[in-house]
Amino acid sequence: MIVKNEAKNLAVTLPSLQGLADEIIVLDSGSTDNSRQLVEQYGGTWYVSTDWQGFGKQRQLAQSYATGDWIFALDADEEVTPQLKESILKIINQKPENKVYGIKRIDCIFGHEIDPSYWAIKAHWRLYPRHFSYNDNLVHESVVLNNANTETLDGFMRHHTAETPLFWLQKRLDYAKAWAEDRHAKGKKVSFYKVILNPLWAFIKQYLIDGRFLKGKYGLIYSLLFTQYTFNKYAILYDLTHNQAEQAFIKSLETSKDLQPVNVSNKQSSLSLVMIVKNEAKHLEACLKTVQDIVDEIIILDSGSTDGTETIARQYGAKWYVNEEWQGFGKQRQLAQSYATCDYVLVLDADERLENDLRHSIVRLLNEPLQTDKVFSVARVNQFCGVEVQKRMWYTDKLARLYANGLFKYSDLDVHESLDQKGVPSEVLQGYLLHITNDNLHHFLMKNVRYSHDWAREKHHKGKKITLLGVLLRSWFSFFREYIMRADILGGAYGYILAFASLGYTMDKYIMLWQLNQGKD
């Protein structure tokens, strides 16, 4: 076995091996839980290699420590059933020949089996003479058969794929990234059509061909999540070749240098820039350059930066505060605003830049007396992987970001926080706010997983309910809204990728909420 922080699964797997193996070899890659104690409790031998070079090579190294004639390759989240144990014992009592044995695996998700045992279940080559070994694949590694004879054993092993939606999503996103980087390093490319078609085929195979439609709600959920995983793999690989984020970032730096000067001598109202940050050294300076000359003070609340963020902030005269007791975006923004002393508050993130027209609009507002009967919104243009997918002529985010200090503040929401306008109208300022959304697709998807988990826990705490039908309808409406209503279709390949990623994000957060509604974390 190869493991890392698998104590919970090992507590199930190791007892199922009793009376089966002459030795248990476990190769760890950096566990911090009590996995080692469990392994040694069941007579296993513990080895460590943190020089990770992929699943294939890690399995090869683990096998090199084995002394038996037969190798049984098992994952920590796989449980041997009694019938399978009997089948294995019959084989290993024989002299090894040129034959590799396949083992059928029943997948389980969130504690529920999602494979019908009477269906045609794929066999995995796991029991073999020691002169066979795994290939070098970074992920999706397999035994090199070398024209060996093969046979499938009777019985099954149970594969406890994930106890929670969050675990599944994080684990599979890591796999998708590793798979894409491995293929990219080998010169592999993927067409946009495969980004569309391969996930559709994955759903057909998982749900219909593999018979998971027979396993009810959890069979459907697994098929949907696997479809998303397939999309993530191919979309990340596509992004590794076509990403334009770095070019867009460099262009934004040039834009910051070419700003037109603004006359601020007639201001009647003062303005505080309020920001919350963490490790924003890459973006912060470009943001501050677009706003430093029109604000009267810069308030920055940090939540634990370890890069040069503070140094850059102080170079621009910012008042620097720190709060590492994170309670969500909403409360962090409230705390940051509490340090502001000016008439108005302008809220920006480090990856946003004011364009010329918006700068002039803000100053025109400041040239008038303080207005407390309305708040002011900005039209934000998002660059996704460096591409302006949603054309500003058609759609922009309208975000209330400029308002009278002391009268308005942000909501308490952990994520998707917004200004509590107290029923007053908002007026959209002329000009645009440029938003450098993400450095790459994986970065974007990773944030979505984190946000979806925080959102689901917050909504569950407040008593929100959702049905599985509601999950499906909301997910597909999210795609329709992005791709058609917001015209992502005009953004080419990245328009489709953004719309499908939006579908995935919506699906993830509602599946998490649905699972919490079932009384499970």
Side-chain angles (χ1 to χ4, degrees):
M1 279 190 275
I2 59 175
V3 302
K4 183 177 181 181
N5 291 328
E6 292 283 3
K8 198 164 189 176
N9 285 320
L10 286 170
V12 176
T13 300
L14 291 172
S16 73
L17 294 176
Q18 288 188 306
L20 178 61
D22 298 295
E23 63 179 1
I24 300 175
I25 303 296
V26 177
L27 178 60
D28 179 65
S29 55
S31 290
T32 55
D33 61 6
N34 65 327
S35 294
R36 179 170 185 169
Q37 291 92 319
L38 281 169
V39 169
E40 293 176 345
Q41 176 185 334
Y42 284 91
T45 306
W46 184 266
Y47 298 90
V48 177
S49 174
T50 56
D51 181 22
W52 183 261
Q53 299 181 52
F55 285 93
K57 290 187 177 180
Q58 193 80 346
R59 288 196 189 276
Q60 292 172 9
L61 179 59
Q63 183 174 325
S64 72
Y65 296 120
T67 61
D69 298 320
W70 290 92
I71 301 296
F72 178 33
L74 192 68
D75 289 337
D77 57 5
E78 294 171 339
E79 176 189 3
V80 177
T81 61
Q83 184 183 14
L84 176 60
K85 183 186 289 187
E86 290 182 12
S87 297
I88 293 174
L89 287 170
K90 289 178 183 177
I91 297 300
I92 62 177
N93 284 328
Q94 305 171 18
K95 183 179 179 180
E97 297 179 353
N98 193 42
K99 182 178 283 191
V100 174
Y101 293 88
I103 297 175
K104 291 177 287 186
R105 188 173 73 176
I106 293 179
D107 287 329
C108 306
I109 192 167
F110 316 151
H112 295 263
E113 290 188 2
I114 45 90
D115 285 317
S117 59
Y118 47 84
W119 205 259
I121 297 178
K122 175 185 176 182
H124 298 261
W125 310 118
R126 295 295 192 83
L127 182 66
Y128 50 88
R130 63 175 299 136
H131 62 270
F132 291 93
S133 66
Y134 272 79
N135 58 24
D136 291 340
N137 284 5
L138 193 65
V139 291
H140 300 319
E141 72 285 4
S142 59
V143 174
V144 180
L145 295 178
N146 287 332
N147 299 315
N149 297 318
T150 59
E151 180 181 329
T152 301
L153 297 177
D154 292 332
F156 302 90
M157 59 182 174
R158 291 191 185 90
H159 181 210
H160 303 282
T161 60
E163 188 176 3
T164 66
L166 178 63
F167 182 86
W168 163 273
L169 291 166
Q170 290 176 330
K171 179 179 177 180
R172 287 291 174 162
L173 187 54
D174 288 343
Y175 284 176
K177 180 175 182 282
W179 179 91
E181 289 178 342
D182 182 52
R183 297 301 188 275
H184 182 67
K186 294 175 180 177
K188 302 290 185 181
K189 296 183 179 180
V190 64
S191 70
F192 171 54
Y193 298 105
K194 284 192 173 182
V195 177
I196 298 175
L197 297 176
N198 284 17
L200 297 177
W201 167 245
F203 180 79
I204 293 171
K205 182 181 183 303
Q206 294 292 323
Y207 193 59
L208 299 176
I209 296 176
D210 290 348
R212 293 196 169 103
F213 66 93
L214 297 169
K215 300 301 288 186
K217 295 177 180 178
Y218 285 95
L220 175 60
I221 288 173
Y222 181 89
S223 301
L224 291 171
L225 290 174
F226 198 92
T227 301
Q228 182 186 25
Y229 165 61
T230 304
F231 165 79
N232 289 345
K233 287 199 307 182
Y234 286 95
I236 292 173
L237 179 56
Y238 182 90
D239 184 56
L240 288 172
T241 303
H242 298 86
N243 185 281
Q244 301 175 42
E246 190 60 27
Q247 299 95 304
F249 174 71
I250 293 171
K251 186 177 179 180
S252 77
L253 297 181
E254 295 171 352
T255 301
S256 300
K257 297 176 182 178
D258 298 332
L259 293 171
Q260 300 169 2
V262 180
N263 180 11
V264 294
S265 62
N266 298 318
K267 287 170 60 176
Q268 298 186 47
S269 304
S270 58
L271 178 61
S272 298
L273 172 64
V274 175
M275 306 179 70
I276 60 174
V277 300
K278 183 179 180 180
N279 291 332
E280 290 289 359
K282 177 177 179 179
H283 289 283
L284 183 59
E285 184 169 15
C287 173
L288 294 178
K289 280 183 176 180
T290 69
V291 72
Q292 62 169 334
D293 56 335
I294 66 173
V295 300
D296 298 279
E297 68 175 357
I298 299 173
I299 304 295
I300 296 183
L301 178 60
D302 182 69
S303 55
S305 290
T306 55
D307 60 3
T309 302
E310 181 179 359
T311 300
I312 295 170
R314 293 193 183 280
Q315 287 173 354
Y316 284 83
K319 298 177 182 177
W320 180 265
Y321 302 90
V322 177
N323 176 47
E324 297 186 25
E325 296 181 6
W326 183 262
Q327 298 182 57
F329 285 94
K331 289 186 177 180
Q332 191 80 346
R333 291 200 190 276
Q334 291 174 6
L335 179 59
Q337 183 179 328
S338 71
Y339 298 119
T341 62
C342 294
D343 299 322
Y344 282 111
V345 167
L346 171 64
V347 174
L348 291 181
D349 290 331
D351 55 6
E352 297 172 335
R353 294 96 170 87
L354 274 65
E355 294 189 352
N356 271 310
D357 289 346
L358 181 55
R359 284 162 44 83
H360 285 276
S361 295
I362 292 173
V363 172
R364 283 196 295 270
L365 173 64
L366 298 177
N367 288 341
E368 302 173 1
L370 177 66
Q371 299 184 47
T372 59
D373 59 344
K374 66 178 72 172
V375 299
F376 298 90
S377 296
V378 296
R380 189 174 70 175
V381 178
N382 299 307
Q383 288 189 343
F384 175 69
C385 298
V387 178
E388 193 174 303
V389 167
Q390 296 164 336
K391 307 305 179 185
R392 59 183 70 188
M393 64 181 179
W394 183 263
Y395 173 81
T396 56
D397 293 333
K398 305 298 190 303
L399 305 173
R401 291 291 193 84
L402 200 157
Y403 49 90
N405 189 14
L407 294 179
F408 306 98
K409 65 178 182 178
Y410 269 74
S411 65
D412 290 340
L413 294 181
D414 288 348
V415 292
H416 302 314
E417 74 286 3
S418 60
L419 186 68
D420 179 4
Q421 298 184 203
K422 298 182 178 179
V424 305
S426 61
E427 177 182 319
V428 181
L429 297 173
Q430 290 183 347
Y432 295 100
L433 179 68
L434 179 63
H435 182 209
I436 311 295
T437 309
N438 59 309
D439 293 333
N440 54 63
L441 180 59
H442 175 259
H443 173 244
F444 179 81
L445 297 173
M446 188 170 59
K447 285 200 303 184
N448 279 357
V449 170
R450 187 172 69 250
Y451 289 168
S452 62
H453 179 250
D454 291 344
W455 180 93
R457 291 182 68 87
E458 180 180 46
K459 296 301 181 185
H460 177 68
H461 180 71
K462 293 181 178 180
K464 186 176 179 64
K465 305 290 184 181
I466 188 70
T467 64
L468 194 54
L469 177 60
V471 173
L472 298 175
L473 293 177
R474 288 175 183 271
S475 300
W476 282 107
F477 176 75
S478 177
F479 178 85
F480 177 79
R481 180 187 60 204
E482 288 290 330
Y483 201 56
I484 303 300
M485 297 173 65
R486 295 181 177 175
D488 288 10
I489 192 172
L490 300 177
Y494 276 103
Y496 180 85
I497 290 171
L498 177 59
F500 200 97
S502 177
L503 179 155
Y505 167 65
T506 304
M507 181 182 74
D508 292 345
K509 68 181 186 179
Y510 280 106
I511 284 178
M512 288 180 179
L513 177 60
W514 181 82
Q515 183 69 0
L516 287 169
N517 290 164
Q518 313 309 305
K520 300 175 182 178
D521 196 354

